[in-house]
Amino acid sequence: MKKLLRGSLRATMLRMTLLPLLSLGIVITIFSAQSFSRGIQGEVKSGLKNLALSVKYAYDIAYPGDYVLMGTEELYLKKGDALISGDYEIVDKIKEETGVEVTLFYYDARIVTTLKDEQGNRQIGTGAHALIVRDVLEAKEEHFFNSVQIAGVEYFAYYTPIFNSDGSIAGMIGVAKTVENVKQVVLKSLLPILISALFLMILTAFISIRFTDKLV
């Protein structure tokens, strides 16, 4: 009878001490992970915005003048006096340095891009999603998208419209970073936090069990 009472008392006290502590630890860990993930997403948005504006200014400096679509059967894009269709020097350099995909659109069509299909062909002439056209080109506003599907791959993307000297929309600059890449960064950064939280929960449980045994 005495052993049964001691066992029941021990189990009750462990439930009263361990369960709230473990629950609190789990809640804090989940909250921290979500907050950290939101913070990383904010950093991604800021970085992509700055990069998109940098690409736009790079084209303005390298090729002064308006964007003009030329040709009848075969179309090509000029900026000022320079032919920029087929010129990938700027976008490829940025992709090499940052790992971010870069695209210059004439209105909603990709003219210069680092995006390639499975065969390694650049996705020239492919169109932007209707949602992007609406939120960027029709609204004439910059926009961040936290989920864009491009050729079956999910991206974080930032688009900024580009204008000619008369104020008309010429197209847009789009920069995109794979969601998978960002998830890997988040997981790598969160791993030490999760390990620390797990260690503290185990340590708290051990101390609680020892304390309960002595008290019983």
Side-chain angles (χ1 to χ4, degrees), residues 193-207:
I193 298 174
L194 295 175
I195 292 174
S196 298
L198 181 62
F199 173 76
L200 288 174
M201 282 191 284
I202 293 173
L203 180 62
T204 301
F206 176 75
I207 293 172

Side-chain angles (χ1 to χ4, degrees), residues 79-131:
K79 189 174 189 310
D81 296 327
L83 178 66
I84 61 175
S85 293
D87 184 356
Y88 306 109
E89 183 179 355
I90 291 178
V91 296
D92 282 351
K93 183 64 175 177
I94 293 172
K95 169 70 180 297
E96 180 184 342
E97 295 292 332
T98 65
V100 174
E101 304 288 356
V102 184
T103 300
L104 186 152
F105 293 82
Y106 183 77
Y107 200 69
D108 64 343
R110 292 181 177 88
I111 302 299
V112 178
T113 185
T114 58
L115 288 165
K116 297 179 181 179
D117 60 22
E118 294 179 352
Q119 286 73 42
N121 302 311
R122 295 183 190 263
Q123 297 185 29
I124 302 300
T126 56
H129 193 278
L131 182 64

Side-chain angles (χ1 to χ4, degrees), residues 151-191:
V153 180
E154 190 176 9
Y155 290 88
F156 289 108
Y158 199 95
Y159 294 82
T160 183
I162 49 180
F163 300 88
N164 280 331
S165 57
D166 61 358
S168 62
I169 283 278
M172 57 186 173
I173 298 291
V175 292
K177 192 179 187 68
T178 60
V179 171
E180 184 62 31
N181 183 278
V182 176
K183 283 181 178 178
Q184 289 177 2
V185 172
V186 171
L187 182 61
K188 186 177 179 180
S189 301
L190 274 178
L191 198 57

